[in-house]
Amino acid sequence: MSNIKIGWASRDISTDKPINLPGQFHMRPSKGVLDPVTTTALVVDDGNDSVIFLSVDIVALRNGILDSIRAYVAERNSEVPVMKIVANCTHAHTGGDTAIEKPKEGGASIWAGTPKEGFEVASSDEYRHFLVAQAGDAIIEAWGKRNDGGIAYGYGYAVVAHSRRVVYFDDTSLRPGAVKNSTHGVDGHARMYGNTNDDNFSHYEAGSDHFVNIMFTFDGADKLTGAIINIPCPSQNSEAEFYMSADYWHDVRVAIRAKYGDIFILPQCAAAGDLSPRILHYKAAQERRFRLKYGEIDTVAKGKIEIAARRDIAERIAASFDEVYSWASKEILHNLPVSHSVSTVNLSRRLITDAEYEEAVADLANLEAQPWFKTGDDAADLYKNTVLEAGRNRNRRVIKRHEDQKTDPKLPMELHVLRIGDIAFCTNRFELYMDFQHRIQARSPFNQTFIIQLCAQPGLDGGSYLCTERGFEGRGYSASMFCNLVSHEAVRSWS
C-alpha cells in the first residue's frame, strides 16, 4: 500500500448577471451577489483506486450537468477517471439556473413560455456552460495537484437542522376552506413548515440529527489543507433571497478560515429531506437571542433574522470543527486503502394511481384555463405567472409519469459506495428523509459512514424527495405524488 495522495481546487461560480435563482415555485432574477457561490473538488488516490469529490453551491445538479462535466474533463485530461466523480449540491436555493433553453428533449426551464415583461434574465445556457467549465477545471487542477498527504477523521455535534414537517391531530385537508392544489395543497396530518401555533399541533414528524462527520486532509508535512464537512441539513436560510449566495456555508467557511487559514472546505449535505435549518415553534425566543447576541445585522438582503441564523449556525459548526480537530488530528493516517464502486441500481417508481392521474388532468385543465396576469406590476405579474406555470408543469409531469410507468416501472440511480480506510461514503440522488440515513449507518460495518444526498446523475433528471413510511401516511409537500419519484416501500430493503 502506497502513501495516499490528495489534491484540492476550488472555483467561484458567482455571476453579477441577473440569472434566475431556482428553488421556489416562482422565478427570482438575481440582483447581485451577496456572498461567493463556489464549487470545490477533492481528489483522494491510493495508486490503485480513487475518488473525486465535487461539491457545488446550487439547488440541484440536473440538465445533464454530470455528463457535461465528465465530457469536459475527459476531453482535456484523459487520465482523469471521470466515472469516479461524486458530485453533490449543497441545495442552496440561491445558486444559478442551469436549465436548457432550447432542448431537443427535457431539461427546459419550467417557465420557458412564461411572460417576463420588465425583467432581464441572463441565459441559463450560458451559466450552465460556465458552471461546467469551472467545475471541470477545478477537477483537472485537483487531479494534477495530487501529492503525498494524510487523512484524519471524526465526528462531533452541532445543532443545525430541525424537523420541518409539522404533524397535527386532525387531517388538515378536511378543514373548512382547505386548499387543494399541486403545490402546497397536498397536506394531510402533516404539513411542510406548518404553523405550530395551532390548537391541533401535535409534534414534529422527525427528530433531528446533530452529527457532524468530518474528514480532514493534510499535506506530507501534516499541515492541515482542508476538510469534508458532512451535515444533515440543506443550506436554506437565504432560500427566498434575490441575491446569489452560498447560504450558511459561506459563513462556515469564513468562521473556520479565521482560525485555520485559507483551507479548502468541501460541504456535503447528508440525508435531510425532512430537515431544515429553521426553528418553527421558538421564533420569538430566537429573535430575542439574535437581537441581544448580534444587534442590528447590516446586509443588503431583507432576511436579517436569517442572516443572523446563518452566523449562529456557522459558529456552532466551527466549534464542532475545533473540537473534532483537537483529538482527530492526533491520528493522521498516510497509508489507507481507497476502494470505490460505481453501479446503477434500479428502484421501483412511486406509481401514480388512476385516481391521481384524473386529479392531475382536472387540475391542469383548470390551470391552463387561467390567463396570464397582466396588471402592469411587473414584479407581481412575474411572481403570479411563474407560480401558475409551475403548477401546470407539476401536473404535466404526473400525467407523463402515469403513462411512462406502464412500460418503465423502474428509476435508475447511479450509486457510489466507497471507502477511505475505515470511513465509508454512500451516495443517493434524493432529498432523502433522515430515517433512511440512520438505517444505512446502523447497518454499515465502518467506523463512520458519510451519506451524501442530492448527488448528480447521468441524464437530464435529478433531485426529488424520498419520504419514509410515516411521511407517506402523513402526506404533505415532500411526501406527495408531485414530490416522490420512488416508492418508500421499494427503498426499505435497499437501505
Side-chain angles (χ1 to χ4, degrees):
M1 189 186 308
S2 59
N3 274 8
I4 203 163
K5 295 187 182 296
I6 294 166
W8 281 99
S10 185
R11 294 289 189 278
D12 189 329
I13 53 172
S14 311
T15 176
D16 287 323
K17 295 182 179 180
I19 190 76
N20 177 50
L21 306 176
Q24 303 291 346
F25 290 114
H26 61 95
M27 286 191 71
R28 288 174 296 145
S30 61
K31 300 178 181 179
V33 179
L34 182 61
D35 47 71
V37 178
T38 67
T39 182
T40 301
L42 164 64
V43 175
V44 181
D45 178 13
D46 74 344
N48 296 307
D49 209 344
S50 62
V51 57
I52 303 167
F53 293 107
L54 181 75
S55 180
V56 189
D57 293 330
I58 199 170
V59 68
L61 291 163
R62 303 188 179 105
N63 309 318
I65 289 289
L66 180 61
D67 296 328
S68 297
I69 291 173
R70 284 174 171 167
Y72 181 96
V73 173
E75 182 180 346
R76 288 158 179 78
N77 188 339
S78 60
E79 294 182 0
V80 180
V82 295
M83 289 306 296
K84 298 302 175 81
I85 297 172
V86 176
N88 73 279
C89 68
T90 61
H91 206 42
H93 282 39
T94 40
D97 194 347
T98 62
I100 301 171
E101 293 187 0
K102 295 181 179 179
K104 295 180 180 178
E105 55 174 277
S109 166
I110 61 173
W111 303 297
T114 310
K116 305 176 185 66
E117 281 82 359
F119 285 92
E120 177 189 357
V121 182
S123 166
S124 56
D125 276 345
E126 180 184 340
Y127 185 79
R128 189 178 67 259
H129 296 321
F130 168 67
L131 170 58
V132 166
Q134 294 294 89
D137 287 343
I139 289 170
I140 293 167
E141 179 183 340
W143 183 263
K145 287 186 173 179
R146 286 171 300 150
N147 213 330
D148 288 350
I151 282 175
Y153 67 96
Y155 73 90
Y157 306 98
V159 177
V160 181
H162 309 272
S163 178
R164 56 177 166 170
R165 284 178 54 83
V166 175
V167 179
Y168 302 91
F169 290 114
D170 65 324
D171 185 336
T172 63
S173 68
L174 302 179
R175 292 181 179 182
V179 174
K180 185 70 175 177
N181 61 26
S182 66
T183 53
H184 289 81
V186 292
D187 301 324
H189 280 275
R191 179 178 291 173
M192 175 79 84
Y193 294 123
N195 176 27
T196 57
N197 188 19
D198 185 303
D199 290 342
N200 276 308
F201 167 57
S202 171
H203 60 280
Y204 293 105
E205 186 178 88
S208 52
D209 187 331
H210 301 314
F211 276 81
V212 180
N213 284 305
I214 306 177
M215 188 184 83
F216 304 97
T217 66
F218 302 83
D219 63 16
D222 288 349
K223 179 182 177 182
L224 181 67
T225 56
I228 290 176
I229 306 178
N230 180 284
I231 293 176
C233 187
S235 49
Q236 290 183 3
N237 286 105
S238 297
E239 62 178 337
E241 293 294 347
F242 282 73
Y243 297 87
M244 295 199 83
S245 171
D247 211 281
Y248 70 70
W249 279 112
H250 169 71
D251 304 81
V252 171
R253 292 174 179 128
V254 170
I256 291 175
R257 288 170 177 164
K259 179 173 181 178
Y260 294 93
D262 194 23
I263 64 171
F264 292 95
I265 302 293
L266 191 148
Q268 292 175 343
C269 185
D274 46 355
L275 308 178
S276 89
R278 287 220 174 83
I279 298 173
L280 300 181
H281 74 285
Y282 229 45
K283 293 181 180 179
Q286 184 186 55
E287 288 182 16
R288 177 178 179 271
R289 170 187 173 87
F290 293 159
R291 175 172 53 82
L292 295 176
K293 186 175 182 180
Y294 298 121
E296 185 70 16
I297 302 296
D298 182 22
T299 172
V300 295
K302 295 178 181 178
K304 294 185 178 182
I305 290 295
E306 296 298 346
I307 295 295
R310 285 173 42 166
R311 184 185 297 183
D312 209 37
I313 286 169
E315 289 171 3
R316 292 195 292 277
I317 295 174
S320 179
F321 189 96
D322 289 345
E323 188 270 332
V324 178
Y325 183 78
S326 70
W327 54 266
S329 59
K330 296 176 181 177
E331 185 179 66
I332 300 174
L333 305 168
H334 296 272
N335 300 106
L336 293 172
V338 176
S339 179
H340 185 175
S341 172
V342 186
S343 60
T344 299
V345 295
N346 292 301
L347 304 172
S348 295
R349 294 183 186 271
R350 193 281 199 193
L351 301 180
I352 304 300
T353 67
D354 291 343
E356 289 172 332
Y357 168 77
E358 295 296 338
E359 184 181 307
V361 168
D363 193 26
L364 177 59
N366 176 57
L367 293 174
E368 288 185 330
Q370 298 181 35
W372 297 120
F373 292 89
K374 296 181 179 179
T375 67
D377 183 335
D378 292 337
D381 288 346
L382 182 69
Y383 175 87
K384 293 177 181 177
N385 286 328
T386 50
V387 168
L388 176 60
E389 187 65 4
R392 292 168 177 169
N393 276 293
R394 287 170 72 77
N395 282 300
R396 289 169 185 150
R397 286 196 294 269
V398 167
I399 293 168
K400 186 176 187 303
R401 285 167 55 196
H402 183 263
E403 185 62 30
D404 292 346
Q405 70 192 22
K406 298 172 184 176
T407 55
D408 189 12
K410 299 289 186 179
L411 181 79
M413 182 183 80
E414 182 176 287
L415 171 67
H416 294 253
V417 180
L418 62 109
R419 68 172 296 193
I420 301 175
D422 290 326
I423 313 171
F425 291 83
C426 181
T427 72
N428 68 88
R429 61 178 287 169
F430 307 104
E431 288 191 67
L432 194 68
Y433 273 33
M434 179 187 69
D435 289 2
F436 293 122
Q437 171 163 286
H438 295 162
R439 294 174 196 175
I440 296 169
Q441 290 174 330
R443 297 172 188 176
S444 172
F446 290 87
N447 279 351
Q448 285 179 233
T449 301
F450 293 52
I451 308 300
I452 317 173
Q453 74 165 19
L454 285 172
C455 287
Q457 298 291 300
L460 299 173
D461 201 5
S464 82
Y465 289 90
L466 206 168
C467 73
T468 53
E469 299 84 351
R470 61 181 173 180
F472 180 79
E473 292 298 324
R475 304 200 304 276
Y477 180 77
S478 80
S480 76
M481 65 176 178
F482 300 104
C483 302
N484 302 147
L485 297 182
V486 166
S487 165
H488 63 275
E489 296 171 338
V491 179
R492 187 170 184 176
S493 59
W494 168 68
S495 64

